[in-house]
Amino acid sequence: MEQQDRSYKDKKVITIGTVSELTGLTLRQIRYYEERKLIAPYRNERGTRKYSFNDIEILMDIADKREDGVQTTEILKEMRLKEKKRESEAAVKKKMLQGQLNAQFRYGRGKI
Amino acid sequence: MEQQDRSYKDKKVITIGTVSELTGLTLRQIRYYEERKLIAPYRNERGTRKYSFNDIEILMDIADKREDGVQTTEILKEMRLKEKKRESEAAVKKKMLQGQLNAQFRYGRGKI
DNA sequence: CGTGTAAGGAATTCTGACACG
DNA sequence: CGTGTAAGGAATTCTGACACG
């Protein structure tokens, strides 16, 4: 169920006009942030951009930062930093699980 | 978080063309099912229909039933039945919670 | 009943460019 | 750098209607 809802959040199905309404950004701004690699909408056969709810969240984040005068280059760096952070946290979590698994395996073998 | 994801599922932001791709139904069919009250898309200022992921699930359900030869009138009845069921289940749940609450209250008062 | 289709109009989206600062 | 705007074309969506069965 959670996995299911997650797929909704990431599904790229929203047109740029709707995104504009939802974020308050102009079409020009939204396209420009794509040019600066801040977002990556899906393109259908004829080149029409489609965004996900997650993209919308990112755009609202960008809007906030732009209002604070942060340049797109800086925003991009920040986003990459956060990505790194998430990755390293995931790595730590994986390591912990691996440790538990190993311990479990040792005990399990002892009993057999 | 779950509440958050739920809102994505119910947010009407998808155009009929995308819905058509996602469900495999033609525009004509999708509009017709609306005429038969099986779905109720949102209409923006200029009358363009917008659907939610939930609407898409309903449409896929409809597609299955139509393939089995079920008429739209029947499908509508089934949907209303399911709705009743959900409501009565919710009522039962509420009653149970109310009972627990009352019991809790009695004990609580006894202790005070 | 459920779906296809042609019809005409209105609004959307796309790209590349010039403008301003 | 970030955003506005006019330009021209292509595709979307809408409604009401006729068709078939």
Side-chain angles (χ1 to χ4, degrees), chain A residues 53-95:
Chain A
F53 283 112
N54 194 43
D55 289 330
I56 289 177
E57 286 190 7
I58 293 173
L59 282 168
M60 297 183 97
D61 227 75
I62 295 172
D64 284 346
K65 287 178 182 162
R66 284 292 304 131
E67 273 185 35
D68 293 344
V70 185
Q71 291 189 189
T72 57
T73 323
E74 291 309 312
I75 296 175
L76 183 57
K77 281 181 197 161
E78 289 175 29
M79 286 173 55
R80 287 192 172 147
L81 258 182
K82 259 185 198 152
E83 187 48 42
K84 290 263 185 226
K85 214 196 226 167
R86 266 197 298 277
E87 275 168 23
S88 84
E89 279 171 5
V92 168
K93 197 179 262 176
K94 186 182 171 189
K95 219 160 222 171

Side-chain angles (χ1 to χ4, degrees), chain B residues 24-60:
Chain B
L25 295 167
T26 65
L27 305 189
R28 183 67 165 101
Q29 289 174 310
I30 297 170
R31 294 190 189 118
Y32 181 67
Y33 299 150
E34 175 183 358
E35 191 183 320
R36 302 315 308 271
K37 310 285 183 190
L38 298 182
I39 42 171
Y42 162 76
R43 296 292 193 113
N44 72 8
E45 322 70 51
R46 285 166 303 70
T48 304
R49 279 169 262 246
K50 303 282 181 166
Y51 302 81
S52 67
F53 283 112
N54 194 43
D55 289 330
I56 289 176
E57 287 191 5
I58 293 174
L59 283 168
M60 297 183 98

Side-chain angles (χ1 to χ4, degrees), chain A residues 1-2 4-9 11-15 17-18 21-22 42 44-46 50 53-54 57, chain B residues 1-2 4-9 11-15 17-18 21-22 42 44-46 50 53-54 57:
Chain A
M1 182 61 173
E2 195 188 289
Q4 171 85 328
D5 284 346
R6 181 94 203 130
S7 83
Y8 289 142
K9 185 169 179 182
K11 208 127 198 178
K12 305 208 176 214
V13 295
I14 309 173
T15 56
T18 305
E21 286 174 22
L22 259 34
Y42 162 77
N44 71 9
E45 322 70 51
R46 284 166 302 72
K50 304 281 180 166
F53 283 112
N54 194 43
E57 286 190 7
Chain B
M1 183 60 172
E2 195 189 288
Q4 172 86 328
D5 283 347
R6 180 95 204 129
S7 85
Y8 289 142
K9 185 169 179 182
K11 208 127 198 180
K12 304 205 177 221
V13 295
I14 310 173
T15 55
T18 306
E21 285 174 22
L22 260 33
Y42 162 76
N44 72 8
E45 322 70 51
R46 285 166 303 70
K50 303 282 181 166
F53 283 112
N54 194 43
E57 287 191 5

